[in-house]
Amino acid sequence: MEKMSRVTTALSSNTISGRTMFCHLDAPANAISVCRDATQVVVAGRNIFKIYSLEEEQFVEKLNLRVGRKPSLNFSCADVMWHQMEENLLATAATNGAVVTWNLGKPSRNKQDQLFTEHKRTVNKVCFHPTEVYMLLSGSQDGFMKCFDLRKKESVSTFSGQSESVRDVQFSMKDYFTFAASFENGNVQLWDIRRPDRYERMFTAHTGPVFCCDWHPDDRGWLATGGRDKMVKVWDMTTNRAKEIYCVQTIASVARVKWRPERKFHLATCSMMVDHNIYVWDIRRPFIPFATFEEHKDVTTGIVWRHQHDPDFLLSGSKDSTLYQHMFKDATRPVDKANPEGLCFGLLGDLAFAAKESLISSDANRKPYPGGDRRYPIFFFKKPDQTEQFAHVSSALSVFETDLDSNRMDWFVKTAQLYLLSGKPFAELCDHNAKVAQELKRPQVSTTWTMLRIMFSDPANLPAPGLNHNLIKPGTLPLMSSFSMKEMGSGIGTESRLERSKGDSRQDNSHLEPGNSHISNNNEENEETEGSEGQAEYMFGDAELDDDDLYSMEHDNQTEEPEYTLPQEAFQLRHEIMDNPSAPEHLQQDKADSPHVSGNEAEVTCLTPIESFSLISISQPLFSPHLPASFFCPIVREMLSYYAEQGDVQMAVSVLIVLGDRIRKAIDDLTQEHWYMSYIDLLQRFELWNVSNEVIKLSTCSAITCLNQTSTTLHINCSNCKRPMSNKGWICDRCHQCASVCAVCHHVVKGLFVWCQGCSHGGHLEHMMNWLKSSAHCPAGCGHLCEYT
Amino acid sequence: MASKPVAGFTCQANGENRSGRASHSCRHQSESESDTGPSPKTLARLCSRDEEERTAALEELSHGVLVCLGLDRLGSARISKQTLLHLLRLSSSCPLQEVRERATELLRTAQEKGVQVPRALVSGPSAFIPAKEILKQGANQDILIESFLSLGRVDHITMVMALHPAYLSCFLRTQHALLELDGPLPRHWRHYITIMAAARHHCSYLVQQHSAGFLEAGGEESWLSGLEHAPTKLSSLQTLNKLLAHRPWLITQQHIQELVCPGADPRWSLAELIHAVVLMAHTHSLCSFVWGCGLNPEPDHIGGYTFQPPSPDHLPRSPHSPAHEEGRQELVDGAMEVEVLMKRMVELQQQEEEYTQEEMATRFERERSESIPTAVVRGAPPDLVLCLVEEPEFRYEDFAPRGEQAPPTMRAQDYSWEDHGFSLVNRLLPDMGQLLDEKFQVVSNLTYHRMAMHEGVDTHTLRKALWNYIHCLYGIRYDDYDYGSVNVLLERSLKVFVKTMACHPEQTSARIYHTFWRHFRHSEKVHANLIVMEARLQAALLYTLRAITHYMR
């Protein structure tokens, strides 16, 4: 056999050639089939039945079998097959239940040979015996399979599947007497052609209809099935029980499956709905198709390999009324488009990175992988290789860990827990949150909160400027309105600026860093470019406080590290990956190579005049408490975007919630949704379920609030009879017992139920906790040594 | 919208939340009526699975009512109308005997105290079927109790369907999933879409039932007074609703595109759209059932109760079947009909004749365009319904006999539920495909192997003929079916009934119901109803799903 096939291969490679090409049919095709020598293809459908010859460059219509003025329904084909031994013989399955054979050798125009009308319903499939000339098998919607001897007028045997709808029948390639039939109810049956009374074997292959099956051309035991459940399964039939050995999950119901010639592990599939592509899978790599043909514009209804020993030509017919010849070398290889790298952050800043070895090995930092270059082409060239397959793709996984000590996401958790988002008057919320931020040594955030309070508080409640000293609470004392207004006006978009001004004001106290001179320079520049602003700053310092006083509180709180806070929260992760400097180094580095560190960009850009938008010119009127709050919306919006962009989406969302209607309309819904989603995601990663729920509840985006309404159903099984509990309530309606009984107190547990993963006994959380304090054994007496941690 | 008594009723099991909201809405409604009756929570507790809990709730209920009555010595109605209607409904439809008895007793007590007590205008769930046929104590009692416990009420639909328990359970499952479980549409929208759909067939039964559901789910009352008060996104469904109800074969990918494409103003996502489509198609076909079985209004629906005392000569309107009154000759004829039908069925199965393509096509066309007089003009639908319909004159239209402009036939082999429809629904609305699939299978396999007085009959051909006839009315043709057998098996009066029910359900009358299959059991007629309903649902779905598939292409 082996020898023979090699001979034919050699032969075929001489005779078969061509390119990717297509032709328009007049009507949608339902099925196609090729003749043995691969030179002609027959296309059949409801309104088409034609034979095309495959020329080098194009399809040429050879014969129209659909003759007569009003072709009968016998021409309306659900399936067609060309005999693989006898080149003049074709069979079709008609939608009205007829099985028709056609003899191309007939001299008349009508080539119809025999007509069998034994099936009551649509015939879904016909199949010739691979070696026997006169044997034809059909499978119909009425649940019967019939075997015809073409020398006789009627069927020789009828096989009853005892169920609705046979979807496919296939003779085994190797076992002379065996055929497989697949059914609408998900079963596959194996029959012996000599025994029509009973199937040899039956097993359930899919949930829902099995639309197709195909025997492996070389391996006698393998049967591939495809179903409505979007799976392709390969079964090993040599054992006693059919064993599923491979399974490919596709994205749509599988209409046809065909093993690829000469490639043991390859098969082609197409779908009946939605998806128009043809996929070739390597069943050992079920996650990504090996090759894809994307030419069709509507669902592909028939696929066939052009020659049984040539893996490079695939023919396909489609509902879009085209017939294609696909060349394997022109196929799309999804692997090439697949991202070869994966990157993921751990919760605590760890980073995992996986990439194709070939990519990593070309990294200059690493020792070049020996032979890496040689392997390269295998992945990236489509050159058909005899060993054409996915293999040898290996990835390297690197994990970069952060220093645990520097796990500085603490602030996030604390902030999330301590912030108040609702339940108090606006001003109090702001004050509270400002205080929280202050305590966590995040002065700029704190300042922002205070400023928000001032901006959006009801003018009537706003303390008159003159009374600042008396009214403002100690915690927020220095930020009297005048000054903060100005800051907001100029630098709100870039918080680092704020920070810097503070740094400036701290100069007297902390002449530590050389960088400080830069800062003051910067500030001077600022004053030059934004003249009026500078003025405003000092003019409105007329509360007669000098800068030191303004920030006196902050000084108290953070004498040690006045300036590091900003990088800590906003850019920490990036630095963490590269190196792990202690804080002062960090700062130094920032100063030194600021162009490279994105964190500093904010600082750099804010020096340019662009930032100094004209608000300053009206910064004096701002001072008046009569300004409508909406006046600030653009600024606040910008500020929120800034925070969000810097990675502090927490701030953005918190402010969004606290401000509520005051700001909501100024920011488009998509952005808001995006922020909410990111924040909720973060919260959930930190297992801050309560906070995340609160946020969901408080959000005003419909897309977010509905998060709480999905997946609220919990399906449970009865602990006694293991059946699903269909009822509400605590009693299983099958075994009439209470389902979740506490093993300690024997009452029904309504609420928190804890159980042992080992023996599955459990009960009230508290009871179990107490029990296992005193005893190591399971309270149910099953003898299991439960552990409670 | 006078009566909204289900408010407190459908909530149970999982919900402080829901019962809280429900009680709120109830209070809101009844403020004007100075309600001092039992809280809706008590009523919800009646549906508890725990027997003790139920008994306790029952006690609480009677206590509440008695206190109300006792407090008021003047005899004016201090007990709210709603509570009374609750009691009325419980007394007539609750499958739990103790509850039924207690409710009756309470009503009597109230009457003795001088309170005006409502009474049901109708007896039994259906105007066509004698109540005793339906309310037989028996095996199906379990499923009634089950549905009372989980839905809070046993409505007339459930009672009639309980004649076929196997079907009822999967019907209830599907309906529950459509209206209550996870899905892309908010709950009150689902009810509103159902109302829109039911209004197309002037089905005030469903409109009232879902109006209650709508309000309970937090819908705005003003929407119910007219489509123009609902969001544009909802009212943009009107065209689809109209076509789906009457001429689904006209639905094209343009209709889908208008709703789904990015440019559309109130844009529908495909998942939302499928959900809405299934809801609408489900409701339209359910309207067929409601009309086809002549369901009476619920005791707490408008027209289902009255506060007037019965006039002395009043007898509760009881459904009467002409078959019972007509002469012996009729009965004999009827018996003959069954015999003839049996014979034909057997003959058909043996038939081996071959027909030409031409002949088969003609037969299909003949069935499709056969003129079956269905236009029995009824009174105008109630305003309640009319304000929710646009273009009420748009109706099912007979296919012109082989006319030029006849819409193209849809070939069942080219777009079938099993191959195409299922995959699409399941893709966009997981689980729903499975539920519908199950329902179609149950209804197509449902048989008791009997026909009228005969046992052990294979009714497959008859059921198939019914199913295919309905699909034929909707322009769906099976290549492998000989439509000649429809003519042989379905007598004309049956065709009148089926066509009326499938295409103009609001015109179904008792006469039409009683004239077909005179010797068959009522449960068999209900079975026929179920087939019509499901076949119609599938036909409408197939057209819409095909349009969606084309849109996605």
Side-chain angles (χ1 to χ4, degrees):
Chain A
M1 191 66 210
E2 185 57 29
K3 207 175 207 170
M4 211 169 86
S5 74
R6 210 178 298 138
V7 171
T8 32
T9 313
L11 187 91
S12 64
S13 61
N14 287 336
T15 52
I16 296 187
S17 60
R19 59 184 188 93
T20 294
M21 59 187 184
F22 75 100
C23 75
H24 283 289
L25 310 171
D26 311 328
N30 275 347
I32 60 173
S33 184
V34 284
C35 71
R36 185 177 52 152
D37 60 4
T39 54
Q40 295 182 75
V41 58
V42 58
V43 183
R46 172 171 292 283
N47 293 313
I48 183 173
F49 190 19
K50 282 180 181 175
I51 292 179
Y52 288 86
S53 76
L54 292 149
E55 309 280 322
E56 191 88 351
E57 292 290 310
Q58 60 188 348
F59 290 98
V60 174
E61 183 180 329
K62 292 285 274 200
L63 186 62
N64 188 354
L65 289 157
R66 206 179 148 78
V67 291
R69 207 165 32 84
K70 287 223 164 175
S72 87
L73 270 183
N74 294 341
F75 284 97
S76 168
C77 305
D79 191 35
V80 63
M81 183 161 180
W82 204 315
H83 205 296
Q84 293 302 300
M85 307 287 293
E86 174 60 63
E87 60 184 13
N88 277 334
L89 193 56
L90 287 129
T92 57
T95 50
N96 65 351
V99 175
V100 194
T101 58
W102 311 80
N103 185 355
L104 300 181
K106 269 193 172 182
S108 65
R109 227 161 68 79
N110 190 347
K111 308 285 185 196
Q112 181 170 329
D113 191 17
Q114 292 220 64
L115 178 67
F116 303 98
T117 53
E118 296 183 28
H119 284 294
K120 290 255 185 309
R121 306 276 317 269
T122 300
V123 179
N124 287 320
K125 194 79 191 173
V126 285
C127 182
F128 280 116
H129 196 278
T131 51
E132 198 62 46
V133 178
Y134 296 108
M135 203 186 285
L136 174 67
L137 190 65
S138 67
S140 157
Q141 196 77 12
D142 61 12
F144 292 102
M145 296 142 276
K146 285 179 187 286
C147 183
F148 302 95
D149 183 330
L150 299 184
R151 291 162 296 196
K152 293 180 183 163
K153 284 263 174 274
E154 51 196 34
S155 62
V156 287
S157 43
T158 301
F159 310 86
S160 168
Q162 307 285 355
S163 105
E164 280 255 313
S165 293
V166 185
R167 300 309 298 239
D168 200 357
V169 284
Q170 292 287 342
F171 274 110
S172 165
M173 304 296 262
K174 301 286 173 189
D175 288 326
Y176 184 90
F177 295 111
T178 307
F179 72 89
S182 72
F183 289 84
E184 192 144 299
N185 59 9
N187 288 342
V188 169
Q189 296 178 352
L190 286 198
W191 288 82
D192 186 315
I193 203 88
R194 296 161 296 186
R195 290 198 54 191
D197 55 326
R198 211 191 125 72
Y199 52 80
E200 298 281 288
R201 182 191 283 188
M202 177 167 84
F203 60 96
T204 302
H206 294 265
T207 52
V210 188
F211 286 138
C212 52
C213 58
D214 196 31
W215 290 96
H216 197 282
D218 298 321
D219 202 315
R220 76 168 54 201
W222 285 14
L223 180 73
T225 59
R228 194 170 69 180
D229 58 0
K230 306 179 190 172
M231 306 234 237
V232 179
K233 292 180 179 174
V234 178
W235 304 86
D236 183 358
M237 313 293 282
T238 50
T239 48
N240 265 343
R241 288 189 49 186
K243 204 172 102 205
E244 180 187 327
I245 43 176
Y246 293 106
C247 177
V248 176
Q249 176 86 50
T250 68
I251 58 168
S253 59
V254 182
R256 311 265 172 181
V257 52
K258 287 275 176 250
W259 288 99
R260 188 174 174 208
E262 311 287 302
R263 296 285 182 279
K264 187 175 179 191
F265 294 101
H266 287 192
L267 48 77
T269 66
C270 66
S271 160
M272 194 172 267
M273 279 294 289
V274 191
D275 186 13
H276 311 159
N277 297 343
I278 302 164
Y279 300 104
V280 178
W281 301 88
D282 184 319
I283 47 175
R284 295 163 301 177
R285 306 292 303 266
F287 304 106
I288 191 161
F290 178 64
T292 313
F293 300 102
E294 296 167 338
E295 282 84 358
H296 285 298
K297 301 283 184 293
D298 199 343
V299 285
T300 311
T301 46
I303 47 175
V304 60
W305 294 95
R306 185 170 161 188
H307 191 275
Q308 50 184 320
H309 294 292
D310 191 327
D312 291 332
F313 295 83
L314 180 69
L315 299 169
S316 69
S318 157
K319 280 247 193 275
D320 64 5
S321 306
T322 56
L323 173 65
Y324 259 93
Q325 168 167 280
H326 309 277
M327 298 293 296
F328 211 80
K329 65 175 163 52
D330 294 335
T332 320
R333 298 297 182 86
V335 189
D336 298 353
K337 290 185 196 152
N339 192 348
E341 296 157 347
L343 183 73
C344 186
F345 272 112
L347 190 55
L348 302 176
D350 298 348
L351 176 74
F353 173 69
K356 229 189 254 180
E357 259 181 6
S358 55
L359 293 181
I360 290 184
S361 61
S362 62
D363 193 330
N365 294 339
R366 289 177 170 238
K367 202 174 64 150
Y369 190 87
D373 285 346
R374 198 158 40 75
R375 286 159 42 129
Y376 202 66
I378 293 175
F379 305 113
F380 288 89
F381 283 75
K382 290 170 190 161
K383 183 146 179 64
D385 185 306
Q386 242 355 52
T387 60
E388 207 181 49
Q389 51 201 354
F390 283 121
H392 313 309
V393 182
S394 54
S395 303
L397 175 71
S398 331
V399 177
F400 303 89
E401 285 180 348
T402 43
D403 191 345
L404 269 181
D405 297 338
S406 61
N407 163 24
R408 278 182 247 143
M409 281 301 270
D410 279 355
W411 63 266
F412 178 88
V413 179
K414 286 217 181 87
T415 313
Q417 285 165 339
L418 294 176
Y419 267 4
L420 280 181
L421 300 178
S422 67
K424 284 190 175 175
F426 171 70
E428 279 178 48
L429 290 179
C430 287
D431 284 343
H432 175 90
N433 293 346
K435 215 163 116 199
V436 170
Q438 188 79 278
E439 275 157 12
L440 291 168
K441 303 200 172 68
R442 304 172 68 211
Q444 72 282 28
V445 172
S446 165
T447 313
T448 311
W449 279 113
T450 316
M451 282 187 270
L452 284 172
R453 187 196 54 139
I454 293 159
M455 280 194 284
F456 286 96
S457 281
D458 189 354
N461 299 339
L462 196 71
L467 300 176
N468 269 348
H469 300 290
N470 307 333
L471 293 184
I472 293 177
K473 290 176 201 147
T476 54
L477 170 73
L479 291 155
M480 6 63 65
S481 15
S482 62
F483 186 74
S484 55
M485 290 294 185
K486 182 252 144 196
E487 274 294 343
M488 271 320 227
S490 62
I492 191 66
T494 57
E495 203 193 345
S496 48
R497 173 80 154 292
L498 218 70
E499 192 64 9
R500 192 159 12 77
S501 314
K502 287 176 210 155
D504 192 19
S505 66
R506 275 181 219 116
Q507 257 174 316
D508 318 63
N509 292 350
S510 48
H511 289 284
L512 301 170
E513 316 87 348
N516 237 337
S517 57
H518 289 266
I519 289 174
S520 55
N521 280 346
N522 287 350
N523 232 12
E524 277 155 27
E525 272 171 41
N526 269 357
E527 280 163 27
E528 280 163 25
T529 50
E530 308 164 5
S532 62
E533 174 199 6
Q535 263 186 337
E537 178 171 349
Y538 293 109
M539 279 176 65
F540 282 90
D542 68 356
E544 301 289 349
L545 294 166
D546 60 27
D547 291 353
D548 280 351
D549 285 343
L550 281 177
Y551 286 97
S552 55
M553 268 326 274
E554 287 171 27
H555 282 290
D556 294 344
N557 282 347
Q558 34 170 266
T559 39
E560 275 319 295
E561 34 170 30
E563 282 222 21
Y564 316 144
T565 41
L566 173 66
Q568 260 181 24
E569 62 162 25
F571 315 118
Q572 166 227 14
L573 287 177
R574 293 181 193 175
H575 293 280
E576 231 59 76
I577 300 157
M578 292 185 243
D579 51 20
N580 208 359
S582 65
E585 283 171 38
H586 191 178
L587 182 80
Q588 301 259 310
Q589 200 197 24
D590 273 7
K591 298 293 176 197
D593 50 27
S594 54
H596 303 294
V597 182
S598 58
N600 270 357
E601 277 165 22
E603 237 168 313
V604 174
T605 47
C606 75
L607 298 181
T608 62
I610 306 162
E611 281 296 320
S612 65
F613 48 87
S614 56
L615 248 176
I616 296 320
S617 53
I618 38 167
S619 69
Q620 290 175 21
L622 273 193
F623 187 47
S624 133
H626 305 299
L627 258 178
S630 63
F631 179 81
F632 299 102
C633 283
I635 311 163
V636 175
R637 184 182 62 213
E638 208 157 307
M639 172 199 75
L640 292 183
S641 310
Y642 168 79
Y643 273 116
E645 239 149 71
Q646 296 305 310
D648 189 3
V649 74
Q650 179 177 51
M651 184 66 185
V653 172
S654 304
V655 171
L656 206 56
I657 293 176
V658 169
L659 285 181
D661 284 338
R662 298 175 184 87
I663 188 72
R664 205 173 78 222
K665 295 201 182 59
I667 300 172
D668 69 291
D669 286 349
L670 265 182
T671 316
Q672 288 193 33
E673 197 183 315
H674 181 65
W675 290 350
Y676 274 117
M677 288 306 263
S678 323
Y679 187 39
I680 289 164
D681 187 42
L682 268 176
L683 287 172
Q684 292 182 344
R685 275 168 187 257
F686 280 97
E687 300 179 358
L688 296 164
W689 312 113
N690 291 340
V691 185
S692 103
N693 233 21
E694 193 190 353
V695 169
I696 294 174
K697 223 166 95 186
L698 290 172
S699 77
T700 43
C701 292
S702 54
I704 302 299
T705 38
C706 74
L707 283 182
N708 260 358
Q709 291 156 14
T710 56
S711 307
T712 47
T713 319
L714 200 64
H715 298 281
I716 48 175
N717 284 0
C718 170
S719 58
N720 294 317
C721 62
K722 312 287 183 281
R723 296 289 188 72
M725 301 266 291
S726 55
N727 286 334
K728 288 153 187 146
W730 306 102
I731 299 176
C732 171
D733 54 346
R734 286 216 174 65
C735 57
H736 301 286
Q737 300 228 5
C738 288
S740 40
V741 180
C742 174
V744 179
C745 69
H746 298 285
H747 283 97
V748 177
V749 186
K750 304 182 178 178
L752 287 179
F753 186 90
V754 62
W755 71 96
C756 169
Q757 306 271 327
C759 65
S760 76
H761 291 113
H764 292 103
L765 176 62
E766 230 167 276
H767 293 168
M768 296 304 285
M769 206 153 54
N770 290 334
W771 177 275
L772 290 169
K773 262 183 207 155
S774 53
S775 166
H777 288 274
C778 172
C782 68
H784 186 258
L785 287 168
C786 303
E787 251 178 71
Y788 184 90
T789 45
Chain B
M1 295 285 89
S3 61
K4 229 61 76 224
V6 263
F9 238 82
T10 42
C11 53
Q12 17 70 44
N14 68 338
E16 284 315 297
N17 250 349
R18 281 176 56 193
S19 62
R21 201 167 57 201
S23 72
H24 171 77
S25 77
C26 241
R27 202 173 312 126
H28 170 73
Q29 283 165 21
S30 49
E31 263 163 4
S32 55
E33 300 171 29
S34 69
D35 186 13
T36 46
S39 73
K41 202 160 176 196
T42 324
L43 296 168
R45 276 176 60 205
L46 274 180
C47 308
S48 161
R49 274 169 208 287
D50 186 356
E51 210 162 313
E52 282 171 31
E53 178 95 6
R54 278 203 310 259
T55 320
L58 199 55
E59 287 308 323
E60 195 181 314
L61 175 72
S62 25
H63 181 72
V65 172
L66 289 176
V67 164
C68 280
L69 292 168
L71 276 179
D72 184 5
R73 314 224 171 266
L74 298 175
S76 66
R78 284 294 303 275
I79 185 163
S80 83
K81 188 174 157 193
Q82 275 165 40
T83 313
L84 287 172
L85 288 175
H86 275 314
L87 289 173
L88 178 62
R89 206 190 54 226
L90 287 176
S91 71
S92 67
S93 74
C94 180
L96 300 166
Q97 199 183 1
E98 72 271 16
V99 177
R100 213 163 50 222
E101 280 166 1
R102 185 65 69 91
T104 320
E105 192 186 308
L106 285 173
L107 279 177
R108 195 171 334 111
T109 321
Q111 196 164 22
E112 280 160 9
K113 293 266 179 185
V115 177
Q116 266 209 338
V117 167
R119 85 200 143 74
L121 270 178
V122 290
S123 74
S126 160
F128 299 167
I129 309 168
K132 62 179 188 324
E133 284 268 339
I134 296 169
L135 300 174
K136 273 184 291 202
Q137 305 278 329
N140 51 21
Q141 203 64 10
D142 284 347
I143 195 158
L144 288 182
I145 291 176
E146 171 60 36
S147 89
F148 176 76
L149 296 183
S150 58
L151 300 174
R153 65 185 304 163
V154 176
D155 55 16
H156 292 166
I157 296 181
T158 313
M159 283 169 160
V160 174
M161 274 186 193
L163 291 169
H164 303 279
Y167 176 81
L168 176 61
S169 68
C170 72
F171 172 83
L172 288 177
R173 246 198 328 273
T174 313
Q175 180 156 283
H176 181 67
L178 269 176
L179 290 169
E180 306 292 336
L181 295 186
D182 274 356
L185 293 173
R187 277 186 58 224
H188 63 286
W189 277 44
R190 303 181 196 187
H191 285 287
Y192 195 76
I193 291 171
T194 314
I195 294 169
M196 280 166 61
R200 281 245 57 110
H201 283 311
H202 306 165
C203 184
S204 64
Y205 178 92
L206 287 176
V207 169
Q208 288 196 57
Q209 203 171 32
H210 286 277
S211 298
F214 171 73
L215 292 173
E216 189 220 327
E220 247 178 76
E221 194 156 357
S222 66
W223 293 13
L224 293 176
S225 57
L227 283 168
E228 65 276 11
H229 301 289
T232 42
K233 184 164 169 181
L234 272 174
S235 48
S236 65
L237 273 184
Q238 266 308 307
T239 319
L240 196 58
N241 183 20
K242 187 179 74 183
L243 293 173
L244 202 55
H246 308 295
R247 300 177 208 169
W249 53 90
L250 295 181
I251 296 173
T252 62
Q253 94 193 65
Q254 268 72 40
H255 294 113
I256 306 299
Q257 194 168 357
E258 277 163 26
L259 295 170
V260 176
C261 83
D265 177 28
R267 188 183 167 187
W268 285 80
S269 77
L270 274 177
E272 287 171 327
L273 186 66
I274 288 266
H275 194 173
V277 162
V278 177
L279 266 173
M280 287 190 290
H282 172 85
T283 313
H284 293 145
S285 61
L286 193 55
C287 288
S288 283
F289 183 82
V290 169
W291 286 112
C293 291
L295 292 193
N296 283 325
E298 297 281 325
D300 49 4
H301 281 175
I302 296 173
Y305 64 90
T306 177
F307 278 92
Q308 301 298 321
S311 54
D313 55 354
H314 171 86
L315 284 169
R317 215 169 65 202
S318 91
H320 63 287
S321 132
H324 295 174
E325 297 163 6
E326 285 160 23
R328 274 195 74 78
Q329 187 54 42
E330 285 281 337
L331 281 178
V332 175
D333 284 354
M336 287 290 287
E337 277 167 22
V338 180
E339 298 300 331
V340 170
L341 181 56
M342 291 274 294
K343 220 168 95 198
R344 284 176 174 172
M345 281 167 62
V346 174
E347 277 168 12
L348 263 186
Q349 283 184 335
Q350 293 159 353
Q351 192 183 47
E352 289 293 334
E353 278 175 88
E354 271 311 305
Y355 298 104
T356 60
Q357 147 95 0
E358 196 97 328
E359 173 63 20
M360 299 291 265
T362 317
R363 287 179 173 194
F364 174 75
E365 285 300 333
R366 195 170 57 214
E367 291 307 323
R368 170 154 95 163
S369 53
E370 183 181 14
S371 101
I372 301 280
T374 52
V376 182
V377 181
R378 290 174 81 92
D383 294 345
L384 168 78
V385 170
L386 209 56
C387 63
L388 293 163
V389 187
E390 249 172 29
E391 272 191 76
E393 68 283 0
F394 187 89
R395 303 261 69 130
Y396 176 87
E397 194 179 50
D398 285 342
F399 289 88
R402 313 212 77 178
E404 291 290 309
Q405 69 279 54
T409 313
M410 171 147 136
R411 303 298 190 124
Q413 272 81 3
D414 290 352
Y415 201 95
S416 68
W417 166 257
E418 288 78 17
D419 292 3
H420 306 92
F422 173 88
S423 301
L424 186 61
V425 173
N426 229 26
R427 184 183 195 88
L428 296 171
L429 205 61
D431 296 348
M432 190 44 68
Q434 206 63 51
L435 286 166
L436 288 170
D437 198 44
E438 204 177 307
K439 196 151 67 92
F440 290 140
Q441 272 179 24
V442 166
V443 90
S444 74
N445 294 329
L446 190 67
T447 180
Y448 305 95
H449 300 290
R450 63 172 192 222
M451 225 171 81
M453 50 289 210
H454 300 273
E455 298 283 334
V457 187
D458 180 6
T459 57
H460 181 259
T461 45
L462 186 58
R463 285 180 283 133
K464 194 88 213 160
L466 259 178
W467 183 276
N468 286 354
Y469 176 59
I470 297 143
H471 274 191
C472 165
L473 291 173
Y474 277 90
I476 298 176
R477 178 175 170 194
Y478 292 82
D479 285 343
D480 52 3
Y481 189 74
D482 173 11
Y483 287 85
S485 36
V486 168
N487 217 20
V488 175
L489 295 179
L490 309 191
E491 56 183 35
R492 194 169 166 82
S493 53
L494 174 57
K495 276 190 189 168
V496 171
F497 173 74
V498 168
K499 182 159 184 187
T500 311
M501 223 188 104
C503 308
H504 308 275
E506 61 280 5
Q507 290 167 1
T508 318
S509 66
R511 221 185 71 80
I512 296 178
Y513 177 84
H514 288 301
T515 40
F516 81 98
W517 278 4
R518 272 170 295 182
H519 259 266
F520 284 58
R521 292 177 181 82
H522 283 289
S523 76
E524 287 168 321
K525 293 191 171 189
V526 173
H527 187 173
N529 260 318
L530 293 181
I531 294 178
V532 177
M533 166 176 164
E534 289 299 321
R536 186 185 168 193
L537 169 65
Q538 196 181 68
L541 278 181
L542 282 179
Y543 278 111
T544 327
L545 294 175
R546 186 177 65 164
I548 292 176
T549 310
H550 286 173
Y551 168 77
M552 289 168 78
R553 187 166 65 193

